[in-house]
Amino acid sequence: MPRVSEDHRAARRSQILDGARRCFAEYGYEGATVRRLEEATGLSRGAIFHHFRDKEALFLALAEDDAQRMADTAAEQGLVQVMRDVLTHPERFDWLATRLEITRRLRTDADFRRRWAERSGELSAATGERLRRQKAAGRLRDDVTGDVLQDYLELVLDGLITRVAGGHDAGNLAEVLDLVEESVRKRD
């Protein structure tokens, strides 16, 4: 049996993730059937599920990749920059329209909740660490704890994703993010 190079495996995995991201964005989690995933990726179910155990594993891999990308941004530039990226490049985040389905599963499926927490914890950890560094540098307001600031920013992110996923015009949202950023800074 011929050996497949690591580069080929990585390219195939990337192809699957890119197609799956588009499929989940268009049809949601439930509507992203195996047939639709095959069409979106251009691959057979065997090829897809050779790389991912099942649809949920594929979905969670997307969450992991995106969480890592957002965590890297949050660690370097803050969570508000992640939100700015959502506004300026909505096509990179369009599959997050499945957020309502995720929320439902988080409420009703303990096993999914555990796996989701493993994947999405990186963004929260990166945000918390960035806030600690900013607070220690005296850049953030000191009348509320870092945990409260983090919860506030994460709530804004959730609302922004919902807004963008719902097709609302991004019109004033950049200014709203300016206001959010200003609201967490230390007042002179």
Side-chain angles (χ1 to χ4, degrees), residues 60 63-72 74-75 79 99 106 112-129 132 150 154:
L60 289 171
E64 186 174 292
D65 282 1
D66 285 358
Q68 183 61 57
R69 185 177 70 233
M70 290 188 290
D72 291 346
L79 193 58
R99 200 74 163 191
L106 289 172
F112 180 82
R113 183 173 42 251
R114 178 188 56 75
R115 289 190 305 274
W116 179 260
E118 290 170 3
R119 297 329 194 269
S120 60
E122 292 175 34
L123 176 58
S124 192
T127 299
E129 180 55 33
R132 278 188 285 288
Q150 182 167 349
E154 289 174 354

Side-chain angles (χ1 to χ4, degrees), residues 35-48:
R35 174 172 279 157
R36 285 178 172 156
L37 286 167
E38 288 175 317
E39 291 170 4
T41 61
L43 299 169
S44 70
R45 71 183 58 214
I48 295 168

Side-chain angles (χ1 to χ4, degrees), residues 67-119:
Q68 183 61 57
R69 185 177 70 233
M70 290 188 290
D72 291 346
T73 300
E76 292 299 316
Q77 301 170 354
L79 193 58
V80 173
Q81 183 59 48
V82 171
M83 292 182 241
R84 291 187 193 287
D85 290 350
V86 170
L87 284 182
T88 56
H89 301 290
E91 73 282 356
R92 293 183 193 163
F93 300 93
D94 57 358
W95 78 278
L96 290 174
T98 60
R99 200 74 163 191
L100 295 176
E101 294 169 83
I102 294 168
T103 301
R104 179 188 57 80
R105 291 200 62 201
L106 289 172
R107 228 177 353 98
T108 61
D109 183 340
D111 195 41
F112 180 82
R113 183 173 42 251
R114 178 188 56 75
R115 289 190 305 274
W116 179 260
E118 290 170 3
R119 297 329 194 269

